[in-house]
Amino acid sequence: FAERLAKVQQMTGLADPVYVEAFLQVHSFDLVLEMMMINRTQETLQNVLIELSTQGDLKLVDRPAAVTLLPGQQTMVSASIKVASTETGIIFGYVTYEKRSAADKECTVLNELHVDILDYIE
């Protein structure tokens, strides 16, 4: 458990409306990016969606689905990524959400996640 906890990456700040942490699992040539999202506001956030992109020899296979988060609620979403080589890749993106009180979507940029596949091969 402690080993897994040490590999958790903070993707947004604690003061952001949606807090996101990520954990990367490796299954041979596939990566699974598990992300925990927490609504840090006192409002219901609708259509909370993490949009991801990759750079390097990483290809996004499936994207996380949009969710609705009640005040203080947390949920887990995941994305699958295919690895083509042992080159270092980067996963980056943003989280979008809608508040009932706002007409437009709001957006928070995620921290980059550098993936060196050799770190995960045992």
Side-chain angles (χ1 to χ4, degrees), residues 8-22 35-41 45 48 50 69 73-75 95 97 108 110-111:
V8 171
Q9 300 281 329
Q10 184 175 331
M11 301 298 284
T12 62
L14 289 171
D16 289 325
V18 178
Y19 175 74
V20 180
E21 285 183 346
M35 294 163 286
M36 179 180 67
M37 297 188 296
I38 302 173
N39 180 355
R40 307 268 303 162
T41 69
L45 301 179
V48 181
I50 296 179
L69 291 174
Q73 183 183 5
Q74 69 181 39
T75 190
V95 58
Y97 51 92
T108 303
L110 299 174
N111 294 330

Side-chain angles (χ1 to χ4, degrees), residues 20-117:
V20 180
E21 285 183 346
F23 175 74
L24 195 62
Q25 290 183 350
V26 178
H27 302 285
S28 62
F29 292 102
D30 295 328
L31 303 176
V32 176
L33 184 64
E34 295 179 358
M35 294 163 286
M36 179 180 67
M37 297 188 296
I38 302 173
N39 180 355
R40 307 268 303 162
T41 69
Q42 296 301 315
E43 296 182 64
T44 298
L45 301 179
Q46 298 175 322
N47 296 324
V48 181
L49 180 64
I50 296 179
E51 288 285 342
L52 296 172
S53 296
T54 59
Q55 183 177 336
D57 284 339
L58 302 174
K59 181 182 179 208
L60 203 56
V61 177
D62 67 348
R63 301 174 185 280
V67 296
T68 297
L69 291 174
L70 299 174
Q73 183 183 5
Q74 69 181 39
T75 190
M76 297 288 290
V77 295
S78 63
S80 296
I81 300 163
K82 190 67 102 173
V83 178
S85 75
T86 56
E87 266 185 35
T88 299
I90 300 172
I91 301 170
F92 57 96
Y94 52 92
V95 58
T96 60
Y97 51 92
E98 297 172 359
K99 293 181 180 177
R100 287 202 181 135
S101 60
D104 294 332
K105 281 187 174 185
E106 296 188 33
C107 178
T108 303
V109 176
L110 299 174
N111 294 330
E112 291 180 349
L113 184 63
H114 293 262
V115 180
D116 186 355
I117 198 69

